[in-house]
Each structure stands twice: as structure tokens, then as C-alpha cells.
Amino acid sequence: MSIFGSDQVCTFSKISGVILKDGEPVRNSLIERSTDYNSKKSDETYTDENGRFELPALFERDAGGFLPQ
């Protein structure tokens, strides 16, 4: 990251998938995600009727964003 770039870093990429158990979709199941970059953060979603879920990318401000690395 340079002093001319963004002051945010991606701490977790977008993720999606299908949860199966014994070949069958796991419906309405809680999916939790957590990260600990500068501070602890978490989010959650539920699988749909087909076992699918999606979580967006997470971005966090980088305290050292203005220093060359």
C-alpha cells in the first residue's frame, strides 16, 4: 500500500457457497464469520432453502495506510 492508495484493506474476501449434509442442503442454518485485524469484527447470514449463503467482502481502515510498506 502506498501513500497514494486507499487507507482501507480487505480483511476478508467475499465468500459464497452451499452447505450440504449427507448430500442434502442444510436449510436456514446460521453462518458466522469473524476477523481480528485492528479490532474484532463479525457478521452472519443464514443459508437459504437450497443451502446457499453469501457474505460480502470486509474492509477495514488501515492505521498505517499513510506509511510506505
Side-chain angles (χ1 to χ4, degrees), residues 16-62:
S16 62
V18 177
I19 306 295
L20 303 172
K21 181 176 181 184
D22 298 325
E24 295 295 319
V26 178
R27 297 173 177 90
N28 306 314
S29 190
L30 179 65
I31 305 293
E32 297 178 275
R33 167 177 71 175
S34 62
T35 183
D36 187 2
Y37 180 68
N38 286 328
S39 62
K40 292 185 179 191
K41 294 188 180 202
S42 64
D43 60 350
E44 58 189 37
T45 191
Y46 285 87
T47 58
D48 66 12
E49 291 300 315
N50 298 310
R52 297 182 188 279
F53 72 95
E54 186 173 307
L55 289 162
L58 291 178
F59 293 89
E60 194 166 340
R61 292 185 81 81
D62 183 18

